[in-house]
């Protein structure tokens, strides 16, 4: 909702990326900690980690926030 408010763009939401399709995965809290192959998320409030992979042929960009603000910014 916050991304849409700030950018005017509505992102498609899904429980998991579609097989074979590129995706940007945004998560925070425990969901972020469970993302595959990423670096540690900084402990500080608003901390975040950003990484990409594509071993299955579908590029993925991951944005993992310690909290909601970390995932947004």
């Amino acid at each position: 909702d916050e991304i849409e408010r700030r950018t005017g763009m509505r992102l498609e939401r899904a429980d998991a990326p579609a097989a074979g399709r590129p995706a940007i995965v945004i998560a925070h809290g425990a969901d972020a900690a469970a993302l595959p192959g990423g670096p540690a998320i900084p402990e500080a409030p608003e901390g975040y980690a950003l990484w990409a992979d594509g071993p299955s042929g579908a590029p993925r960009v991951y944005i993992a926030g310690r909290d909601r603000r970390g995932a947004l910014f």
Side-chain angles (χ1 to χ4, degrees):
D1 295 334
E2 187 68 19
I3 293 171
E4 181 178 11
R5 186 179 73 75
R6 291 175 179 261
T7 67
M9 296 178 358
R10 180 104 177 128
L11 301 179
E12 179 182 334
R13 297 180 78 170
D15 291 332
R21 292 189 55 202
I24 298 171
V25 180
I26 304 171
H28 65 87
D31 291 336
L35 293 174
I41 302 167
E43 294 287 332
E46 300 181 16
Y48 66 92
L50 183 65
W51 70 98
D53 71 15
S56 64
R60 303 265 193 262
V61 174
Y62 296 93
I63 303 167
R66 170 68 46 205
D67 50 30
R68 295 182 76 111
R69 287 184 57 88
L72 180 62
F73 297 108

